[in-house]
Amino acid sequence: MKFKNYILFTGIVFSLLSLPIFAEEKLTRVTIFDNLSLIEQVKRIELKEGINEVVLTPVSTKIILDSIYPSIENAEFVEQEYTSNSLIWKIKSEEEKTSLLRVFYLISGLKWTLNYRIKLNEDADSVNISGWAKIENKSERDFYHSFLTLITSVSSAEEEKQVSYSLPFPLTFKNGEEKQIPLFLYKNVPLVRKFLFDADKYGNEVREEMVFKNNKENGLGFLFPQGEVYIYEEKEGRVFFVSKDNFPSVLPGREGSICLGQAKSLKGERVQTFYQRLKSGEQEYAYRIILCNYRDIPVKIKVREYLYGEGEILESEPLEYTKEGNLIFYEVEIPPKEKREVRYKARIK
């Protein structure tokens, strides 16, 4: 007579046709990518001599059936069958023994996003940067005591890289749940506050930014993916909410900048003073930018302008500027209670 013994395998039931057997679950690994997730489940099972039947049920509709890859030590898979909501394997063993069963498969419905919480410290020249992962489980599967790896891609003009975070402890996240998990915390990162005028993005506002160098000297030097950031500031022992912004991806060795919002007592204005379309189809235009400092101290404002197409600067006042791709930058120092102007003329194809 043959008996069935049902063994719970993290939401998947194994049924082996033989005498009663026992199985010890070893581990579950979950790797969440941008679109799909890779699941690895490992279990040590007792095989009997002959044909053993293993049944996976229920099979979530989010599992990609063709991706299921089983592996077992010192035994042989002789058949795989999918019926209704069960996947059935027949495994041939030459002897009675304990064997390690691994099951790999891809599944949809798991998603993770990275967001940041930044606190400007009381001294106003350093910040604490923490990163949190938000995990959403809509996979129709519960995961118990699973080891989690989170992977995302970061693209730059030069290359595309992957960032991986592996948690050192197992987690439980059930279907329909959302969880937030701290990934990293960098304390007392030095920063410099800067001011930016970008009429295309912010109109007449001068924006205040905090800029930090992503290098080992500052205790960093890692690849930061983009994500939402919530900014807080500490004053006189209390913490206040400042603003919400998007944290841009920052490569090692590069500068990262976070916008704090509109700068007080600073204002800008951009006025188009010239435009014409040439017979060649090229366009020429000119702008006048007025920057006002109502503060009692001098400030430096970076001006960012865009060349919408392949082009060049024909005239410029001041003469000094930098060009990065289709971006033009001016650095203007403005005495207290005064204003300064930037004028330029450009031609684009």
Side-chain angles (χ1 to χ4, degrees):
M1 178 181 295
K2 293 184 178 180
F3 298 90
K4 288 187 178 181
N5 185 36
Y6 291 95
I7 306 162
L8 184 64
F9 185 14
T10 317
I12 298 178
V13 175
F14 282 73
S15 162
L16 287 89
L17 296 178
S18 61
L19 294 174
I21 65 168
F22 300 92
E24 177 190 356
E25 182 172 328
K26 299 296 291 184
L27 62 85
T28 299
R29 293 191 182 98
V30 179
T31 303
I32 305 178
F33 297 88
D34 291 332
N35 297 313
L36 290 175
S37 300
L38 173 65
I39 312 300
E40 176 189 0
Q41 293 178 271
V42 182
K43 195 183 242 334
R44 194 167 293 281
I45 62 174
E46 298 292 333
L47 294 177
K48 303 300 178 181
E49 181 182 356
I51 301 298
N52 298 260
E53 188 172 273
V54 178
V55 180
L56 280 76
T57 183
V59 176
S60 163
T61 61
K62 302 291 186 178
I63 293 177
I64 300 174
L65 293 176
D66 287 345
S67 74
I68 297 176
Y69 172 64
S71 173
I72 194 164
E73 290 181 340
N74 303 317
E76 180 184 357
F77 287 91
V78 295
E79 186 179 295
Q80 174 176 298
E81 179 184 0
Y82 179 73
T83 60
S84 184
N85 66 341
S86 298
L87 188 69
I88 303 171
W89 290 307
K90 289 183 179 178
I91 300 174
K92 180 181 179 182
S93 178
E94 299 295 336
E95 57 183 350
E96 182 176 328
K97 61 187 173 185
T98 300
S99 189
L100 194 67
L101 174 66
R102 295 177 182 268
V103 180
F104 302 84
Y105 57 87
L106 296 175
I107 192 170
S108 62
L110 288 171
K111 177 184 176 183
W112 83 280
T113 53
L114 179 63
N115 64 64
Y116 296 84
R117 291 92 187 264
I118 288 182
K119 181 173 73 71
L120 287 79
N121 295 326
E122 191 111 27
D123 56 16
D125 60 7
S126 67
V127 293
N128 295 347
I129 303 175
S130 61
W132 290 69
K134 182 173 76 171
I135 301 169
E136 300 177 63
N137 184 1
K138 297 180 180 179
S139 68
E140 301 175 5
R141 280 287 321 277
D142 297 332
F143 294 93
Y144 296 94
H145 308 295
S146 302
F147 287 90
L148 188 63
T149 298
L150 307 173
I151 296 178
T152 188
S153 298
V154 176
S155 299
S156 67
E158 299 86 11
E159 57 185 331
E160 180 173 304
K161 293 185 177 181
Q162 282 193 332
V163 188
S164 175
Y165 303 97
S166 294
L167 275 66
F169 48 84
L171 291 175
T172 294
F173 44 102
K174 299 179 181 180
N175 183 50
E177 281 188 344
E178 289 187 8
K179 283 196 172 183
Q180 294 212 9
I181 303 166
L183 295 181
F184 53 80
L185 171 62
Y186 303 110
K187 293 185 176 182
N188 302 317
V189 177
L191 65 86
V192 177
R193 294 203 185 202
K194 295 187 177 182
F195 302 102
L196 172 70
F197 178 75
D198 185 330
D200 279 6
K201 291 186 69 174
Y202 306 119
N204 291 337
E205 291 184 4
V206 175
R207 309 286 281 190
E208 185 174 3
E209 293 184 330
M210 59 181 188
V211 179
F212 65 92
K213 290 186 178 180
N214 183 16
N215 55 28
K216 292 183 179 179
E217 290 76 10
N218 289 338
L220 304 176
F222 306 99
L223 200 161
F224 288 95
Q226 69 178 40
E228 289 186 339
V229 57
Y230 295 83
I231 304 168
Y232 299 85
E233 185 170 17
E234 185 177 354
K235 289 182 179 179
E236 299 178 353
R238 297 183 61 189
V239 176
F240 301 89
F241 175 69
V242 177
S243 65
K244 175 187 173 184
D245 194 25
N246 289 317
F247 193 103
S249 59
V250 185
L251 298 175
R254 302 287 182 85
E255 283 191 346
S257 62
I258 304 297
C259 182
L260 299 179
Q262 184 175 358
K264 296 179 180 179
S265 303
L266 299 176
K267 187 178 179 181
E269 182 182 5
R270 183 175 67 166
V271 179
Q272 187 169 13
T273 58
F274 174 77
Y275 175 82
Q276 72 170 354
R277 180 178 291 274
L278 305 178
K279 292 181 179 180
S280 63
E282 296 176 312
Q283 302 172 64
E284 290 185 355
Y285 59 87
Y287 280 103
R288 173 181 174 227
I289 299 166
I290 306 101
L291 302 170
C292 302
N293 176 17
Y294 300 107
R295 299 186 177 190
D296 295 324
I297 58 174
V299 297
K300 286 185 178 179
I301 298 178
K302 177 183 283 188
V303 176
R304 180 166 62 199
E305 289 289 301
Y306 300 80
L307 293 176
Y308 292 100
E310 183 180 347
E312 60 179 330
I313 300 297
L314 304 176
E315 300 174 8
S316 177
E317 182 184 346
L319 294 175
E320 297 80 16
Y321 65 88
T322 58
K323 187 174 183 293
E324 299 178 10
N326 69 331
L327 298 176
I328 304 298
F329 294 97
Y330 290 93
E331 194 88 23
V332 183
E333 183 165 358
I334 310 170
K337 307 295 184 182
E338 293 191 19
K339 64 175 65 175
R340 290 290 185 268
E341 292 190 5
V342 171
R343 298 171 182 262
Y344 74 91
K345 183 178 181 181
R347 178 188 298 146
I348 59 173
K349 294 183 179 179

